[in-house]
Amino acid sequence: MKGQTSRPFMNGVQCSKMLRKPPMATIVGPAQSLLFFSLRRPISSIAPLAPDPEPVDDLSSQLYSILARPNWQKHPSLKTLLPSISPSHVSSLFTLNLDPQAALAFFNWIALQPGYKHDVHCHSSLLSILITNGFFQVAEKIRISMVKACVSVEDARFVLRQMNRDSELGFKLNLRCYNMLLMSLAKFLMIDELKSVFLEMLDNRVVPNIYTFNTMVNAYCKMGNVVEAKLYVAKIVQAGLRPDTFTYTSLILGHCRNKDIDNARKVFEIMPSKGCRRNEVSYTNLIHGLCEAGQIDNAFKLFFQMGEDNCSPTVRTYTILIHALFASGRRIEAFDLFRKMIEKGCQPNVHTYTVLIDGLCEEAKLDDARKLLNGMLDKRLGPSVVTYNALIDGYCKEGMLEAALGILGLMESNNSCPNARTFNELICGFCKRKDVHRAMSLLSQMLNQKLSPSLITYNSLIHGQCKAGHLDSAYRLLNLMNDSGLVPDQWTYSIFIDTLCKRGSLKEACALFESLKEKGVKANEVIYAALIDGYCKVGKINEAQSLFNRMLGDDCFPNSYTYNVLIDGLCKKKKLREASLLLETMLTRGVKPTVVTYTVLIKEMLKDGAFDHAFSVFNHMILAGNQPDVFTYTTFIHAYCSLGSLEKAEALMARMNKEGVLPDSLTYTLLIDAYGRLGFINRAFDVLKCMTNAGCEPSHHTYCFLIKHLTNENGVKTFSDNEGLDLGSILSFVDLNSVWKTVEFKVIQKLFDKMNERGCEPDVGTYGKLIIGLCKQRRLEVAQRVFDHMTSQGISPSDDIYNALFGCSCELQVYGEAMRLVDVMIENGYLPSLEYSKLLVCRLYEEENNEKAKSVFCSLLHCGYNYDEVAWKILIDGLLKRGLVDRCSELLSFMEKMGCQVHSQTYSMLIEGIDGT
């Protein structure tokens, strides 16, 4: 049965009896009806089994020697070898000239050993021995076991080929074996093979029974193909048999899969009149169908009726309802049902826990989800890969990637193999955090585990590379995707077009857009919106409107985001009236404005000082069912702060909190700057304390303003005050460069003192923002003093801090310090930036420090980077572009010697680059 471990098939006495050579038997079904044989027709035979012979290894040879001796079970070497024995070793062993009795005895003995399970190949090799020696009776049992051992479509196909070969040797399939085979094929929804085997069964004059027909009915119902299923129901009647509970229950399933609840109910209701008892599965299938159709209350009515048919809800029944409650946002009811389930003595299974964990993760209740996972492990209820994936996905969505990696480690330690989705979720999470190198290293792990990256994998990585500004690497990933046989889709091209527009490469973006038709890709609303936004950002509003009209002409209907982009573009061109008219057009076309739509208009009105009009739109927005968000409130707060109306700004912030809208970093920073400009430094730091207490991390802007005002407090004016803030550029309201170019460590020390004084002690985020800002302006000496101050406080640096110092050292050509930082980072598990590593390796080679360059390169290869990315950045973008061809060849050879395999596309690029140069 499913999930059952292998076990011996007979004891020693039975084994001895079964291994007597019986005469060949021809399997002919009873002549119940000539109808079955009228259904016969020629079919294409299953492809013959022609496996490549497994090479016999040392371990298999040792086992062969041991089995040749009497009392081999007591052989002292067997216990030592046991942990290393795998199904492939057993399969290889059986290809040797082994005695049939010894082979069967070993097959049964090894199946009892903890952690071992036979696969279909072991069964196949044993069958070859048994059939060749004429032991058909025991071979029949082994063949049934082989069918049960199928765990994948590939296994099932292998078994089909094995059956075909055995038939050619005269070892025909009987009814039971056919039924088991059909069930296995149905399990994997291998419909074509299922039908072929059924027809072969008729061709071989083996008469189907009710189990055969029910298997066929159920398989088609699982696919939602009720029409085909009913043909087999008709065959049941034609054969003189009667449809039973299983038959009708399958039909209920089929109708539910088609979302045809009415017909599913009709089948359910006629079952008693047909003499068929409705069982737990009948109820559960219909309950599931009702839940899928959103009829949860009707599902519960049916749930409470189960007792009328002497049925008790199963773990699956409860799990379906719990899942439906979670999907409807009724979490409390879901947990109430979970508790009642346990009270009724129905123990939750892995799927139940998975549903609960997934539901909690959807609501970001990650601590509760982790407790449930721990509870499963305590109960020795092994989580499935789906369970782990639910938690990994939850952590990734909340940006808790270290916790997600911890679950991956837990998963592997519990011998649960991650699948492609596991890696896709992690890759997507790291790409969202702009940690694309870690995402690329996960791609390497994925490939090492023989998992095939999908379109989702490549699209996530391409998006990550584009967000990180590595457009060349994104295009290279596109080549890898194509080489893998995957076809780029709308999302792939939307990523490239959006990135090109954001980089100001509008001409290139338009060229790619115009090429989509010949690629067979229809532009969607995301692609159009990206281009419209690109035109708006460069002030080409007429072109944006023209593209908008083209979008309508292509039957691609704009969504709220597209309208928002164009409305914002019109506002930036001071065309408020046209923007308002577009809002009206949006409404007439049935597109609901969002909070962003109204906020864009409000911002433009506030820029003109039209507070009354802005509040009128604000109130209209609320009446339309759109609750103001943090961006809306912050727009008003920004306007008040720019006018020095801090009481109104504070009042609006209080209203935000009352409405449950949490201020973000920008909201607090605006208030901090406003107090600073008025000379209320202590009040500015009080706002900082409120900010950190609320769990809102200060940004670079926050510290820039604080440093600026502390500097002015000392009477040192190093940059001009900008009193009239431009509401159109909220995120660039201070010249960041001027702050980092001029600030001295004594001012930063004063910042720390002030923060400690006001109860908001500096943390790693504080130091990180300061060090990164200083390093961008190559203020390495001051940055190092800040770093030393941080470590003196017992605060461990982050990878961003190390990389900032590393990059600054490279740019200033302080190579000794750069190399030291590489070693420290790798020692602490951090990845040195490839961009700066490229700079370091190239500069070292240019200065003839060849051994040091090799040393850095070697270190990079050992710290988990994706080898393709290393080759792209260091060898192609670095050495080849600088004309250092010999050095590139040298490092490529070094990679090959270390066994660092790169993709064939990357290798071709390298060879072309070397030859071309």
Side-chain angles (χ1 to χ4, degrees):
M1 293 178 66
K2 185 178 178 182
Q4 199 171 33
T5 55
S6 299
R7 56 190 177 87
F9 302 101
M10 58 212 80
N11 59 34
V13 175
Q14 290 172 318
C15 178
S16 176
K17 289 179 180 178
M18 296 290 282
L19 283 173
R20 295 170 189 161
K21 296 185 183 181
M24 278 285 279
T26 303
I27 301 172
V28 180
Q32 294 178 356
S33 171
L34 293 174
L35 169 70
F36 300 110
F37 304 108
S38 68
L39 296 172
R40 290 183 295 157
R41 64 173 185 177
I43 60 169
S44 57
S45 64
I46 301 162
L49 185 69
D52 294 330
E54 291 284 341
V56 179
D57 54 31
D58 290 340
L59 194 149
S60 298
S61 298
Q62 290 178 62
L63 288 173
Y64 179 79
S65 299
I66 292 169
L67 293 176
R69 304 180 185 188
N71 299 319
W72 54 263
Q73 294 93 334
K74 296 179 181 180
H75 195 285
S77 299
L78 198 56
K79 189 175 182 180
T80 308
L81 295 175
L82 186 59
S84 303
I85 300 174
S86 69
S88 64
H89 294 123
V90 175
S91 182
S92 179
L93 168 68
F94 290 161
T95 63
L96 303 173
N97 187 22
L98 198 63
D99 176 76
Q101 291 190 356
L104 183 63
F106 181 74
F107 183 88
N108 288 328
W109 177 83
I110 190 71
L112 289 171
Q113 306 312 309
Y116 179 87
K117 187 175 182 180
H118 286 303
D119 63 12
V120 291
H121 300 282
C122 297
H123 289 82
S124 174
S125 298
L126 179 60
L127 277 171
S128 295
I129 296 174
L130 297 174
I131 294 170
T132 303
N133 287 277
F135 297 119
F136 300 112
Q137 193 174 356
V138 68
E140 186 61 46
K141 290 182 177 289
I142 299 298
R143 184 159 62 181
I144 293 290
S145 175
M146 178 174 68
V147 176
K148 290 180 179 179
C150 291
V151 295
S152 67
V153 171
E154 290 73 23
D155 281 355
R157 286 186 178 137
F158 176 85
V159 168
L160 279 173
R161 295 195 298 271
Q162 171 74 40
M163 299 288 194
N164 184 73
R165 188 187 71 171
D166 293 346
S167 294
E168 290 174 355
L169 294 173
F171 187 49
K172 303 290 185 181
L173 278 70
N174 61 16
L175 177 61
R176 185 185 176 207
C177 194
Y178 269 120
N179 281 344
M180 291 299 301
L181 183 57
L182 289 170
M183 287 178 192
S184 181
L185 295 170
K187 173 184 172 184
F188 299 112
L189 299 179
M190 298 168 66
I191 298 299
D192 291 340
E193 292 86 346
L194 183 83
K195 191 169 184 177
S196 178
V197 170
F198 178 79
L199 292 171
E200 180 187 292
M201 180 179 179
L202 299 178
D203 197 54
N204 287 336
R205 303 181 65 82
V206 178
V207 179
N209 61 12
I210 187 66
Y211 301 107
T212 318
F213 287 119
N214 275 341
T215 300
M216 302 300 291
V217 171
N218 187 253
Y220 282 105
C221 285
K222 280 181 180 176
M223 300 290 291
N225 190 347
V226 181
V227 174
E228 193 75 19
K230 284 183 176 179
L231 294 177
Y232 286 93
V233 175
K235 294 184 198 305
I236 294 175
V237 178
Q238 291 167 2
L241 303 169
R242 292 181 60 187
D244 59 10
T245 294
F246 188 92
T247 318
Y248 289 111
T249 299
S250 295
L251 289 172
I252 292 169
L253 173 68
H255 287 303
C256 287
R257 288 278 164 93
N258 284 332
K259 303 189 184 303
D260 186 357
I261 298 302
D262 290 339
N263 275 317
R265 273 188 178 280
K266 286 177 184 176
V267 174
F268 181 81
E269 286 165 1
I270 66 166
M271 283 178 71
S273 66
K274 299 291 184 181
C276 293
R277 176 181 173 270
R278 294 186 291 228
N279 63 15
E280 286 82 0
V281 183
S282 314
Y283 273 97
T284 302
N285 282 352
L286 187 51
I287 285 169
H288 192 195
L290 289 165
C291 288
E292 289 288 301
Q295 300 180 34
I296 301 176
D297 292 336
N298 287 335
F300 270 101
K301 285 179 185 176
L302 197 63
F303 172 74
F304 293 124
Q305 290 172 19
M306 291 182 75
E308 295 175 10
D309 278 320
N310 294 318
C311 292
S312 298
T314 65
V315 63
R316 182 169 175 261
T317 320
Y318 280 109
T319 302
I320 286 166
L321 288 165
I322 289 168
H323 180 265
L325 289 170
F326 263 116
S328 301
R330 296 157 68 174
R331 182 171 62 88
I332 294 172
E333 291 176 71
F335 272 102
D336 284 343
L337 186 60
F338 177 66
R339 281 187 285 271
K340 286 175 184 175
M341 170 186 180
I342 296 171
E343 288 169 8
K344 294 283 186 181
C346 184
Q347 290 304 311
N349 62 12
V350 172
H351 185 48
T352 317
Y353 277 105
T354 301
V355 166
L356 291 166
I357 288 169
D358 186 51
L360 288 168
C361 289
E362 285 293 324
E363 297 185 6
K365 307 279 185 184
L366 297 172
D367 289 342
D368 292 339
R370 182 60 196 265
K371 285 175 185 174
L372 275 178
L373 180 69
N374 292 340
M376 286 182 75
L377 295 170
D378 290 342
K379 292 178 181 179
R380 299 188 181 280
L381 194 61
S384 69
V385 65
V386 181
T387 321
Y388 288 113
N389 283 351
L391 201 48
I392 286 172
D393 185 44
Y395 280 128
C396 287
K397 282 177 179 172
E398 294 301 310
M400 301 169 67
L401 296 168
E402 282 68 31
L405 287 174
I407 298 296
L408 178 64
L410 179 66
M411 185 178 184
E412 291 171 336
S413 67
N414 287 327
N415 297 317
S416 179
C417 296
N419 59 15
R421 183 172 177 180
T422 316
F423 285 104
N424 282 344
E425 285 165 355
L426 287 164
I427 285 169
C428 186
F430 278 107
C431 286
K432 282 181 181 176
R433 199 171 76 176
K434 295 186 180 180
D435 195 348
V436 69
H437 301 316
R438 188 67 64 88
M440 289 292 290
S441 71
L442 285 163
L443 174 66
S444 297
Q445 289 183 45
M446 190 175 182
L447 293 168
N448 288 339
Q449 296 193 30
K450 309 299 181 188
L451 295 170
S452 299
S454 64
L455 198 58
I456 293 170
T457 317
Y458 281 111
N459 278 341
S460 296
L461 289 167
I462 287 169
H463 194 211
Q465 293 284 7
C466 286
K467 279 177 71 177
H470 308 319
L471 192 58
D472 286 344
S473 294
Y475 276 119
R476 288 161 183 157
L477 279 166
L478 182 64
N479 291 333
L480 262 59
M481 180 199 294
N482 286 319
D483 196 57
S484 300
L486 297 169
V487 180
D489 62 0
Q490 291 174 322
W491 187 32
T492 317
Y493 290 111
S494 70
I495 295 166
F496 280 106
I497 289 171
D498 184 54
T499 302
L500 289 167
C501 288
K502 283 182 168 61
R503 287 164 65 107
S505 304
L506 198 56
K507 188 176 179 181
E508 192 178 341
C510 288
L512 182 56
F513 171 72
E514 296 297 344
S515 73
L516 292 183
K517 190 173 182 180
E518 65 186 52
K519 296 178 191 295
V521 177
K522 182 174 169 33
N524 60 8
E525 65 274 10
V526 179
I527 293 172
Y528 274 108
L531 272 173
I532 290 168
D533 189 41
Y535 278 122
C536 288
K537 278 183 168 55
V538 296
K540 293 184 176 182
I541 196 68
N542 292 334
E543 287 85 345
Q545 288 175 307
S546 176
L547 190 61
F548 182 82
N549 292 331
R550 177 177 168 181
M551 179 180 184
L552 294 170
D554 285 348
D555 293 329
C556 182
F557 300 105
N559 56 19
S560 59
Y561 178 78
T562 317
Y563 279 102
N564 291 344
V565 164
L566 195 51
I567 288 170
D568 187 47
L570 289 165
C571 286
K572 284 176 180 174
K573 296 294 284 185
K574 302 293 182 184
K575 295 185 176 184
L576 186 58
R577 176 176 165 72
E578 287 184 48
S580 300
L581 288 172
L582 190 57
L583 172 61
E584 291 178 17
T585 303
M586 184 177 178
L587 289 164
T588 59
R589 287 178 176 160
V591 181
K592 187 178 179 182
T594 64
V595 177
V596 175
T597 319
Y598 292 107
T599 304
V600 166
L601 293 167
I602 287 169
K603 183 173 73 172
E604 187 61 27
M605 292 170 182
L606 291 175
K607 282 169 70 176
D608 293 338
F611 277 79
D612 290 341
H613 285 133
F615 271 110
S616 176
V617 174
F618 181 84
N619 292 327
H620 179 75
M621 174 179 72
I622 295 171
L623 288 172
N626 289 293
Q627 291 305 311
D629 63 7
V630 63
F631 183 46
T632 317
Y633 281 112
T634 301
T635 301
F636 279 104
I637 289 169
H638 189 193
Y640 284 132
C641 286
S642 66
L643 297 173
S645 303
L646 297 190
E647 288 184 4
K648 291 182 178 180
E650 290 269 23
L652 200 55
M653 198 173 233
R655 178 175 172 177
M656 279 179 77
N657 285 308
K658 187 178 178 182
E659 296 290 335
V661 181
L662 297 176
D664 64 9
S665 174
L666 177 59
T667 322
Y668 285 111
T669 300
L670 289 167
L671 209 53
I672 285 169
D673 177 53
Y675 278 117
R677 283 189 288 122
L678 291 175
F680 301 138
I681 298 296
N682 287 342
R683 182 68 188 117
F685 277 92
D686 289 341
V687 175
L688 179 67
K689 178 173 172 54
C690 291
M691 182 180 186
T692 55
N693 286 349
C696 182
E697 186 177 359
S699 67
H700 287 83
H701 293 88
T702 315
Y703 293 112
C704 268
F705 279 129
L706 289 168
I707 290 169
K708 169 188 172 182
H709 297 309
L710 285 171
T711 304
N712 289 344
E713 189 184 44
N714 287 343
V716 181
K717 299 253 182 182
T718 57
F719 42 85
S720 61
D721 290 314
N722 184 8
E723 296 297 335
L725 298 179
D726 177 15
L727 291 180
S729 55
I730 290 180
L731 290 176
S732 58
F733 42 64
V734 67
D735 184 357
L736 297 178
N737 293 341
S738 60
V739 173
W740 305 120
K741 281 178 181 176
T742 57
V743 67
E744 296 299 334
F745 183 72
K746 62 182 179 181
V747 177
I748 293 174
Q749 180 68 64
K750 187 173 182 180
L751 172 71
F752 295 153
D753 293 342
K754 204 76 174 173
M755 288 178 73
N756 286 316
E757 177 190 317
R758 308 306 291 187
C760 44
E761 294 79 8
D763 59 11
V764 68
T766 309
Y767 288 104
K769 300 291 188 306
L770 297 173
I771 290 170
I772 291 167
L774 289 163
C775 286
K776 281 182 178 177
Q777 297 305 313
R778 300 188 180 185
R779 301 287 307 284
L780 183 59
E781 185 180 344
V782 181
Q784 285 175 325
R785 290 188 68 182
V786 175
F787 180 88
D788 292 340
H789 189 279
M790 174 183 65
T791 54
S792 71
Q793 301 300 308
I795 297 174
S796 299
S798 65
D799 57 346
D800 287 339
I801 291 172
Y802 275 123
N803 268 315
L805 292 167
F806 172 46
C808 190
S809 300
C810 289
E811 287 174 349
L812 293 173
Q813 300 181 29
V814 187
Y815 300 131
E817 176 63 12
M819 291 183 68
R820 185 190 71 81
L821 284 165
V822 168
D823 292 338
V824 171
M825 289 182 74
I826 292 172
E827 186 180 335
N828 287 282
Y830 297 131
L831 292 175
S833 160
L834 272 182
E835 288 294 323
Y836 292 124
S837 297
K838 171 185 73 178
L839 185 61
L840 178 58
V841 170
C842 291
R843 290 274 174 86
L844 288 170
Y845 268 131
E846 287 169 347
E847 296 192 359
E848 301 297 326
N849 287 322
N850 298 352
E851 292 307 314
K852 288 183 179 179
K854 286 182 196 173
S855 174
V856 172
F857 188 74
C858 180
S859 296
L860 291 173
L861 296 178
H862 283 101
C863 65
Y865 267 117
N866 175 277
Y867 297 137
D868 285 298
E869 202 175 22
V870 172
W872 298 341
K873 293 291 182 184
I874 308 296
L875 304 185
I876 297 173
D877 293 344
L879 299 175
L880 284 180
K881 282 187 177 178
R882 284 170 171 78
L884 299 169
V885 182
D886 292 341
R887 303 309 180 198
C888 179
S889 299
E890 185 178 41
L891 293 186
L892 177 59
S893 299
F894 184 62
M895 286 184 77
E896 290 170 341
K897 286 176 184 175
M898 287 183 63
C900 306
Q901 295 182 350
V902 297
H903 194 279
S904 57
Q905 278 278 348
T906 302
Y907 196 82
S908 297
M909 289 165 61
L910 281 164
I911 299 305
E912 286 171 16
I914 291 168
D915 292 345
T917 310

Short mmCIF file of all heavy atoms in Angstrom, two decimals, residues 24 45-50 131 136 143 160-173 200 204:
data_model
loop_
_atom_site.label_atom_id
_atom_site.label_comp_id
_atom_site.label_asym_id
_atom_site.label_seq_id
_atom_site.Cartn_x
_atom_site.Cartn_y
_atom_site.Cartn_z
N MET A 24 4.53 -24.00 -16.94
CA MET A 24 4.05 -22.74 -17.49
C MET A 24 2.52 -22.73 -17.49
O MET A 24 1.88 -23.72 -17.78
CB MET A 24 4.54 -22.57 -18.93
CG MET A 24 5.95 -22.04 -19.01
SD MET A 24 6.01 -20.32 -18.63
CE MET A 24 5.50 -19.64 -20.18
N SER A 45 2.27 -2.10 -29.34
CA SER A 45 2.88 -2.73 -28.16
C SER A 45 3.74 -1.75 -27.42
O SER A 45 4.25 -0.79 -27.96
CB SER A 45 3.72 -3.94 -28.58
OG SER A 45 4.78 -3.49 -29.39
N ILE A 46 3.87 -1.99 -26.13
CA ILE A 46 4.71 -1.14 -25.29
C ILE A 46 6.16 -1.35 -25.69
O ILE A 46 6.57 -2.46 -26.01
CB ILE A 46 4.49 -1.52 -23.81
CG1 ILE A 46 3.02 -1.32 -23.45
CG2 ILE A 46 5.35 -0.69 -22.90
CD1 ILE A 46 2.60 -2.03 -22.21
N ALA A 47 6.92 -0.26 -25.68
CA ALA A 47 8.32 -0.35 -26.11
C ALA A 47 9.06 -1.39 -25.31
O ALA A 47 8.91 -1.49 -24.10
CB ALA A 47 8.99 1.01 -25.94
N PRO A 48 9.88 -2.21 -25.96
CA PRO A 48 10.59 -3.26 -25.22
C PRO A 48 11.59 -2.68 -24.23
O PRO A 48 12.12 -1.61 -24.44
CB PRO A 48 11.31 -4.04 -26.33
CG PRO A 48 11.43 -3.07 -27.46
CD PRO A 48 10.22 -2.20 -27.38
N LEU A 49 11.76 -3.41 -23.17
CA LEU A 49 12.70 -2.99 -22.12
C LEU A 49 14.11 -3.26 -22.59
O LEU A 49 14.48 -4.37 -22.90
CB LEU A 49 12.41 -3.76 -20.83
CG LEU A 49 13.22 -3.36 -19.61
CD1 LEU A 49 12.78 -1.98 -19.16
CD2 LEU A 49 12.99 -4.35 -18.49
N ALA A 50 14.90 -2.20 -22.65
CA ALA A 50 16.29 -2.39 -23.06
C ALA A 50 17.21 -1.53 -22.21
O ALA A 50 17.82 -0.58 -22.67
CB ALA A 50 16.45 -2.04 -24.54
N ILE A 131 12.29 -15.64 -13.41
CA ILE A 131 11.61 -16.07 -14.65
C ILE A 131 12.52 -16.98 -15.47
O ILE A 131 12.10 -18.01 -16.01
CB ILE A 131 11.16 -14.85 -15.46
CG1 ILE A 131 10.08 -14.08 -14.69
CG2 ILE A 131 10.60 -15.28 -16.82
CD1 ILE A 131 9.75 -12.72 -15.28
N PHE A 136 7.78 -19.18 -11.52
CA PHE A 136 6.73 -18.24 -11.88
C PHE A 136 5.81 -17.88 -10.72
O PHE A 136 5.31 -16.77 -10.65
CB PHE A 136 5.91 -18.81 -13.04
CG PHE A 136 6.73 -19.06 -14.26
CD1 PHE A 136 6.98 -20.36 -14.70
CD2 PHE A 136 7.28 -18.00 -14.97
CE1 PHE A 136 7.76 -20.60 -15.81
CE2 PHE A 136 8.05 -18.24 -16.10
CZ PHE A 136 8.29 -19.53 -16.52
N ARG A 143 6.31 -9.46 -8.90
CA ARG A 143 5.81 -8.54 -9.92
C ARG A 143 4.76 -7.60 -9.32
O ARG A 143 4.75 -6.39 -9.60
CB ARG A 143 5.21 -9.32 -11.09
CG ARG A 143 4.76 -8.43 -12.23
CD ARG A 143 4.66 -9.18 -13.54
NE ARG A 143 3.67 -10.25 -13.51
CZ ARG A 143 3.43 -11.05 -14.56
NH1 ARG A 143 4.11 -10.90 -15.69
NH2 ARG A 143 2.53 -12.01 -14.48
N LEU A 160 6.06 -0.91 -17.14
CA LEU A 160 5.36 -1.28 -18.37
C LEU A 160 6.30 -2.02 -19.34
O LEU A 160 5.94 -3.04 -19.93
CB LEU A 160 4.78 -0.04 -19.05
CG LEU A 160 3.46 0.49 -18.50
CD1 LEU A 160 3.11 1.81 -19.17
CD2 LEU A 160 2.34 -0.50 -18.71
N ARG A 161 7.50 -1.47 -19.48
CA ARG A 161 8.47 -2.12 -20.37
C ARG A 161 8.86 -3.49 -19.84
O ARG A 161 9.04 -4.45 -20.60
CB ARG A 161 9.71 -1.23 -20.54
CG ARG A 161 9.42 0.09 -21.24
CD ARG A 161 10.71 0.76 -21.71
NE ARG A 161 11.60 1.09 -20.62
CZ ARG A 161 11.57 2.24 -19.95
NH1 ARG A 161 10.65 3.16 -20.26
NH2 ARG A 161 12.43 2.48 -18.99
N GLN A 162 9.01 -3.61 -18.52
CA GLN A 162 9.34 -4.89 -17.88
C GLN A 162 8.23 -5.92 -18.15
O GLN A 162 8.51 -7.08 -18.49
CB GLN A 162 9.51 -4.69 -16.38
CG GLN A 162 9.65 -5.97 -15.56
CD GLN A 162 11.02 -6.61 -15.74
OE1 GLN A 162 12.02 -5.91 -15.79
NE2 GLN A 162 11.06 -7.93 -15.83
N MET A 163 6.98 -5.47 -17.99
CA MET A 163 5.85 -6.38 -18.21
C MET A 163 5.85 -6.89 -19.66
O MET A 163 5.57 -8.06 -19.92
CB MET A 163 4.52 -5.64 -17.94
CG MET A 163 4.37 -5.13 -16.54
SD MET A 163 4.10 -6.44 -15.35
CE MET A 163 3.55 -5.48 -13.94
N ASN A 164 6.14 -5.99 -20.58
CA ASN A 164 6.17 -6.37 -22.00
C ASN A 164 7.25 -7.43 -22.25
O ASN A 164 7.02 -8.43 -22.95
CB ASN A 164 6.42 -5.13 -22.85
CG ASN A 164 6.37 -5.44 -24.34
OD1 ASN A 164 5.30 -5.66 -24.90
ND2 ASN A 164 7.53 -5.47 -24.98
N ARG A 165 8.41 -7.22 -21.68
CA ARG A 165 9.51 -8.18 -21.85
C ARG A 165 9.15 -9.54 -21.25
O ARG A 165 9.38 -10.58 -21.87
CB ARG A 165 10.78 -7.64 -21.20
CG ARG A 165 12.02 -8.48 -21.49
CD ARG A 165 13.22 -8.02 -20.69
NE ARG A 165 13.06 -8.34 -19.28
CZ ARG A 165 14.04 -8.21 -18.38
NH1 ARG A 165 15.21 -7.74 -18.74
NH2 ARG A 165 13.84 -8.53 -17.12
N ASP A 166 8.54 -9.51 -20.04
CA ASP A 166 8.17 -10.76 -19.38
C ASP A 166 7.12 -11.53 -20.19
O ASP A 166 7.14 -12.76 -20.25
CB ASP A 166 7.65 -10.48 -17.98
CG ASP A 166 8.74 -9.93 -17.06
OD1 ASP A 166 9.93 -10.02 -17.43
OD2 ASP A 166 8.39 -9.40 -15.98
N SER A 167 6.19 -10.76 -20.78
CA SER A 167 5.15 -11.42 -21.60
C SER A 167 5.77 -12.13 -22.78
O SER A 167 5.35 -13.23 -23.17
CB SER A 167 4.12 -10.39 -22.09
OG SER A 167 3.40 -9.87 -21.00
N GLU A 168 6.79 -11.50 -23.39
CA GLU A 168 7.46 -12.11 -24.52
C GLU A 168 8.17 -13.40 -24.12
O GLU A 168 8.38 -14.30 -24.93
CB GLU A 168 8.46 -11.13 -25.14
CG GLU A 168 7.78 -9.96 -25.86
CD GLU A 168 8.78 -8.91 -26.33
OE1 GLU A 168 9.98 -9.06 -26.03
OE2 GLU A 168 8.35 -7.96 -27.00
N LEU A 169 8.56 -13.49 -22.83
CA LEU A 169 9.20 -14.70 -22.33
C LEU A 169 8.18 -15.75 -21.89
O LEU A 169 8.55 -16.79 -21.35
CB LEU A 169 10.11 -14.34 -21.14
CG LEU A 169 11.33 -13.47 -21.47
CD1 LEU A 169 12.05 -13.05 -20.19
CD2 LEU A 169 12.30 -14.22 -22.39
N GLY A 170 6.91 -15.43 -22.06
CA GLY A 170 5.85 -16.39 -21.71
C GLY A 170 5.26 -16.18 -20.35
O GLY A 170 4.38 -16.95 -19.93
N PHE A 171 5.71 -15.15 -19.61
CA PHE A 171 5.19 -14.91 -18.27
C PHE A 171 4.08 -13.86 -18.37
O PHE A 171 4.30 -12.67 -18.22
CB PHE A 171 6.33 -14.42 -17.37
CG PHE A 171 5.95 -14.31 -15.92
CD1 PHE A 171 5.32 -15.34 -15.25
CD2 PHE A 171 6.27 -13.15 -15.21
CE1 PHE A 171 4.98 -15.23 -13.91
CE2 PHE A 171 5.96 -13.04 -13.87
CZ PHE A 171 5.30 -14.08 -13.22
N LYS A 172 2.87 -14.35 -18.67
CA LYS A 172 1.73 -13.47 -18.94
C LYS A 172 1.18 -12.85 -17.65
O LYS A 172 1.35 -13.40 -16.56
CB LYS A 172 0.62 -14.25 -19.64
CG LYS A 172 1.04 -14.92 -20.94
CD LYS A 172 1.29 -13.91 -22.04
CE LYS A 172 1.58 -14.59 -23.36
NZ LYS A 172 1.86 -13.61 -24.43
N LEU A 173 0.47 -11.74 -17.83
CA LEU A 173 -0.16 -11.07 -16.69
C LEU A 173 -1.52 -11.69 -16.42
O LEU A 173 -2.26 -12.01 -17.36
CB LEU A 173 -0.36 -9.58 -16.97
CG LEU A 173 0.83 -8.65 -16.75
CD1 LEU A 173 1.92 -8.89 -17.79
CD2 LEU A 173 0.40 -7.18 -16.81
N GLU A 200 -5.11 -4.00 -24.14
CA GLU A 200 -4.21 -5.16 -24.22
C GLU A 200 -4.75 -6.31 -23.37
O GLU A 200 -4.66 -7.49 -23.75
CB GLU A 200 -2.82 -4.77 -23.75
CG GLU A 200 -1.82 -5.91 -23.78
CD GLU A 200 -0.50 -5.52 -23.14
OE1 GLU A 200 0.21 -4.67 -23.71
OE2 GLU A 200 -0.20 -6.06 -22.05
N ASN A 204 -5.64 -10.00 -24.68
CA ASN A 204 -5.06 -11.22 -24.10
C ASN A 204 -6.12 -12.11 -23.44
O ASN A 204 -5.76 -13.04 -22.71
CB ASN A 204 -3.97 -10.85 -23.09
CG ASN A 204 -2.71 -10.33 -23.76
OD1 ASN A 204 -2.46 -10.63 -24.93
ND2 ASN A 204 -1.94 -9.53 -23.05
#
